[in-house]
């Protein structure tokens, strides 16, 4: 015969098991390595979603390309093969070139603008375009407005230094700027750049200054020039039909967690950008902070080529988006 205490314990355990099994599974894929500052923000966001949803959403994060490869994330979510993924804006390439607006050379490097971004008309405009492409945006995570040109043997400090080198590009429009300086570009996901640099498949790269450290580029490149050449962001998105099936509580949890994560990402990115140059120097890298004159030379060489490419890829929609961005710059 069961005692009342044992029965109560059994019922409680059954209820907990039922609640756990009823939790909405949310598998989220991204490409960032565990030590990356934004990977840590994604983990914090996942925990916040579970807390705010009272455990109704079970968020499972798979980083470092461990579930789906970086270039396949968008299609996997759009098809409903996984519920969620995070991508860098330039990974949209020609599918949605509007997402590349912030990587225009020296276009949007203001932290104050990024603080306004999640609630801006520009962000809402892109969310509508993302939905047209089959994904529902749920989070904006600013990653960097401080980049590095990495190299081996000597620093890249002026446009002429790029002549004849092969480097990892970020997408058609941005790469026009690199080509204008004489470089040839190769398309590679972030997870493959280290190996390409190590084996000489490419000579140089452009990346977030903090990513240069977290991805250990210092092991295969010995010079890095710090430049505010582009602003990149990671954004989280889900399958629309999956999102539509959520309760109001679950949707509210995603909304609130996304807004909090946007703030966390800015804080983490500012700290990472400030710490990374010294960390790289401690690993033996010769770090050069580009002067205002050097930045102006890069801007003059790269910006017209980017603007031409962005205009040809995006047309009237691109002009509309740039006008909206101008409101928060």
């Amino acid at each position: 015969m069961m005692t009342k205490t044992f029965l109560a314990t059994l019922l409680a355990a059954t209820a907990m098991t039922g609640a756990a099994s009823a939790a909405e599974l949310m598998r989220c894929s991204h490409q960032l390595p565990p030590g990356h500052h934004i990977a840590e923000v994604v983990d914090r966001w996942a925990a916040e979603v579970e807390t705010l949803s009272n455990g109704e959403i079970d968020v499972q994060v798979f980083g470092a390309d461990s579930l789906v490869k970086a270039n396949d994330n968008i299609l996997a979510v759009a098809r409903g093969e996984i519920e969620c993924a995070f991508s860098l804006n330039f990974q949209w390439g020609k599918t949605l070139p509007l997402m590349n607006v912030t990587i225009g050379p020296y276009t949007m490097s203001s932290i104050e603008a990024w603080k306004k971004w999640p609630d801006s008309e520009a962000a809402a405009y892109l969310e509508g375009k993302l939905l047209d492409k089959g994904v529902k945006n749920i989070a904006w995570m600013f990653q960097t407005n401080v980049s590095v040109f990495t190299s081996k043997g000597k620093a890249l400090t002026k446009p002429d230094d790029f002549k004849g080198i092969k480097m990892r590009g970020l997408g058609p429009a941005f790469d026009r700027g690199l080509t204008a300086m004489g470089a040839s570009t190769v398309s590679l996901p972030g997870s493959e750049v280290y190996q390409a640099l190590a084996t000489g498949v490419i000579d140089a790269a452009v990346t977030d200054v903090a990513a240069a450290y977290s991805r250990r580029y210092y092991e295969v490149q010995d010079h890095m020039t710090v430049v505010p050449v582009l602003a990149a962001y990671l954004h989280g998105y889900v399958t629309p039909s999956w999102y539509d099936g959520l309760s109001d509580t679950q949707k509210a949890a995603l909304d609130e967690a996304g807004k909090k994560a946007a703030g966390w990402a800015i804080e983490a990115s500012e700290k990472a950008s400030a710490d990374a140059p010294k960390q790289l120097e401690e690993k033996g890298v010769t770090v050069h902070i580009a002067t205002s004159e050097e930045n102006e030379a890069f801007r003059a060489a790269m910006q017209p080529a980017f603007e031409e490419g962005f205009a040809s890829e995006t047309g009237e929609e691109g002009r509309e988006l740039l006008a909206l961005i101008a409101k928060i710059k």
Side-chain angles (χ1 to χ4, degrees):
M1 182 177 179
M2 292 185 184
T3 66
K4 289 184 178 181
T5 302
F6 178 78
L7 181 58
T9 302
L10 180 62
L11 289 172
T14 303
M16 289 177 66
T17 301
S21 63
E24 192 69 45
L25 178 63
M26 185 180 188
R27 295 163 297 176
C28 295
S29 170
H30 70 75
Q31 72 180 71
L32 301 177
H36 195 287
H37 63 284
I38 296 298
E40 293 172 356
V41 173
V42 172
D43 288 342
R44 187 178 176 186
W45 163 86
E48 189 69 7
V49 170
E50 292 187 344
T51 297
L52 293 173
S53 70
N54 299 314
E56 291 182 19
I57 301 179
D58 175 17
V59 187
Q60 298 179 7
V61 177
F62 299 84
D65 285 342
S66 59
L67 181 64
V68 177
K69 296 297 183 184
N71 291 339
D72 299 326
N73 278 326
I74 294 168
L75 193 56
V77 172
R79 288 176 171 173
E81 294 167 0
I82 58 174
E83 294 77 27
C84 160
F86 289 82
S87 292
L88 291 162
N89 53 317
F90 51 79
Q91 286 173 322
W92 280 90
K94 293 182 179 180
T95 303
L96 187 58
L98 285 170
M99 294 290 280
N100 292 329
V101 67
T102 67
I103 66 171
Y106 303 89
T107 294
M108 189 175 162
S109 54
S110 164
I111 288 293
E112 291 308 310
W114 279 102
K115 289 178 180 177
K116 300 173 186 174
W117 175 263
D119 297 318
S120 69
E121 292 177 79
Y125 186 87
L126 282 180
E127 286 171 355
K129 298 302 178 182
L130 288 166
L131 198 56
D132 290 342
K133 294 298 180 181
V135 299
K136 163 73 177 174
N137 200 76
I138 56 167
W140 298 105
M141 297 183 184
F142 167 73
Q143 177 169 320
T144 187
N145 63 345
V146 182
S147 304
V148 283
F149 291 134
T150 79
S151 55
K152 191 171 184 178
K154 73 168 192 173
L156 304 174
T157 61
K158 57 185 183 297
D160 281 350
D161 292 336
F162 287 75
K163 289 181 178 177
I165 68 169
K166 184 182 292 186
M167 62 189 302
R168 183 247 184 148
L170 299 181
F174 182 83
D175 292 357
R176 281 176 175 247
L178 298 174
T179 302
M181 295 192 294
S184 59
T185 61
V186 176
S187 177
L188 288 171
S191 59
E192 296 178 15
V193 177
Y194 177 98
Q195 186 65 20
L197 289 168
T199 57
V201 171
I202 56 175
D203 307 307
V206 55
T207 190
D208 164 25
V209 63
Y213 181 77
S214 65
R215 288 192 181 277
R216 307 194 323 278
Y217 284 15
Y218 52 79
E219 295 178 353
V220 290
Q221 301 270 268
D222 54 18
H223 285 75
M224 298 190 189
T225 300
V226 180
V227 284
V229 69
L230 63 90
Y233 58 88
L234 193 80
H235 73 113
Y237 51 92
V238 297
T239 308
S241 58
W242 176 85
Y243 179 84
D244 291 342
L246 298 179
S247 68
D248 289 344
T249 298
Q250 293 166 339
K251 290 177 181 177
L254 286 177
D255 182 59
E256 187 175 347
K259 289 178 179 177
K260 287 183 175 181
W264 299 336
I266 289 174
E267 293 169 2
S269 295
E270 286 188 292
K271 185 178 187 307
S273 294
D275 293 345
K278 182 180 179 181
Q279 292 172 328
L280 289 165
E281 286 181 331
E282 290 172 349
K283 292 295 185 178
V285 175
T286 299
V287 176
H288 172 69
I289 308 297
T291 65
S292 56
E293 292 80 8
E294 288 167 342
N295 279 314
E296 175 54 29
F298 284 136
R299 187 204 64 75
M302 298 179 71
Q303 199 171 73
F306 171 85
E307 289 176 351
E308 180 185 353
F310 187 72
S312 67
E313 290 176 3
T314 63
E316 180 58 32
E317 290 183 343
R319 287 188 286 275
E320 288 178 29
L321 180 56
L322 285 170
L324 294 175
I325 284 178
K327 293 182 179 183
I328 60 173
K329 286 177 66 175

